[in-house]
Amino acid sequence: PKFSSLAAMALDALRNDGPLPLLDLKTGDLMLSSEPLNPLNCFIRCCLCMKVHHIGLVIRPQDFDSQSHVRQAHPEMDNSKMYVLHFLHSGLKLWDLERYIHRVHQGCGPGSVYVRQLQWSEGERRTFQGHIDGTFEEFKGRKFEKSFYASTSMAFCDALEVCGIGQSQEDVSSLFCSEFVAEVLQRGGVLPKTRASSEFVPMDFWSSDGQHVEQTSLLGG
């Protein structure tokens, strides 16, 4: 698999001209976003120059039957809609994607939502859907990473790793958004497990060249 050669497709590009192209998305596509401005998000966007600071996985309801963990936990899913599975301060949540996009666009400092699509065969995608379902069941009760800011700071310290500084240890007892996504991708055979899932931040997926993410190469790319 590999990411779309496009840097990212803006899901808000058509918001004033017609319906959002959400039905073109697939389960497992990566949703990246910059949330509306508040003091913290303003610091992230303006001072750290981060184009995006949140990430989740697109969920297409038709891909999960009545026996799946996702469907059993969320029987309210509407097959005419698309959803995003993402890790928040309140835990692992499944949200209506279109409602999330409109939420991001509200306020005096609206954000943006983008997607990066994984390109692979339907057979590979169906296998990956199973990994999403299994990881959802395992992580649905986990808490948000209490040391989130320390963890993300360590993830940015790649240049210091040669000195043994800034190397995260694998620990999924609690997670943050990009750690969850990286964990699913690793378990699904998209990313190698040579690097801790906590080493990945949303900007790593944004800036990927389609073959590499952070310091790893996509498997089978």
Side-chain angles (χ1 to χ4, degrees):
K2 62 180 180 179
F3 288 121
S4 168
S5 58
L6 297 175
M9 177 179 71
L11 291 182
D12 55 352
L14 301 179
R15 69 182 186 275
N16 296 321
D17 302 315
L20 295 167
L22 300 185
L23 296 182
D24 293 334
L25 303 182
K26 307 285 188 181
T27 292
D29 289 344
L30 306 184
M31 181 220 70
L32 299 126
S33 67
S34 59
E35 295 272 351
L37 287 182
N38 57 38
L40 175 59
N41 292 343
C42 183
F43 173 76
I44 292 174
R45 287 166 60 177
C46 299
C47 297
L48 298 182
C49 300
M50 293 175 65
K51 181 75 173 181
V52 295
H53 53 261
H54 185 59
I55 187 171
L57 293 168
V58 172
I59 296 294
R60 181 174 176 265
Q62 295 95 319
D63 296 329
F64 298 87
D65 61 30
S66 60
Q67 301 304 310
S68 67
H69 299 300
V70 171
R71 180 71 73 171
Q72 290 181 1
H74 294 281
E76 76 283 359
M77 282 198 300
D78 184 340
N79 284 352
S80 67
K81 297 182 178 182
M82 300 296 286
Y83 294 82
V84 58
L85 183 65
H86 52 168
F87 221 97
L88 306 169
H89 285 82
S90 54
L92 186 57
K93 302 297 180 182
L94 185 76
W95 284 8
D96 181 315
L97 181 54
E98 186 165 5
R99 290 182 63 182
Y100 175 73
I101 292 169
H102 289 306
R103 171 184 174 276
V104 167
H105 292 153
Q106 293 177 352
C108 59
S112 297
V113 181
Y114 308 88
V115 68
R116 295 207 67 173
Q117 295 186 290
L118 281 163
Q119 299 176 344
W120 46 15
S121 70
E122 283 305 310
E124 290 173 323
R125 189 178 294 277
R126 284 194 295 271
T127 299
F128 184 64
Q129 291 162 6
H131 287 288
I132 292 176
D133 194 51
T135 309
F136 167 82
E137 177 65 12
E138 181 180 346
F139 290 166
K140 65 182 181 182
R142 303 285 171 90
K143 302 296 184 181
F144 187 79
E145 176 59 65
K146 293 182 179 179
S147 58
F148 167 68
Y149 299 111
S151 297
T152 51
S153 296
M154 290 179 69
F156 278 112
C157 293
D158 297 340
L160 301 179
E161 290 186 7
V162 293
C163 303
I165 302 173
Q167 294 176 320
S168 297
Q169 299 298 315
E170 188 69 55
D171 179 11
V172 292
S173 59
S174 58
L175 304 100
F176 52 92
C177 64
S178 52
E179 182 180 12
F180 167 71
V181 169
E183 189 69 26
V184 176
L185 292 174
Q186 287 177 335
R187 296 182 181 206
V190 179
L191 288 177
K193 298 181 180 180
T194 53
R195 198 159 182 80
S197 55
S198 57
E199 286 286 341
F200 295 88
V201 296
M203 277 299 295
D204 292 330
F205 297 96
W206 169 270
S207 58
S208 168
D209 63 0
Q211 300 289 347
H212 307 85
V213 179
E214 220 253 357
Q215 296 185 24
T216 65
S217 298
L218 273 69
L219 299 175

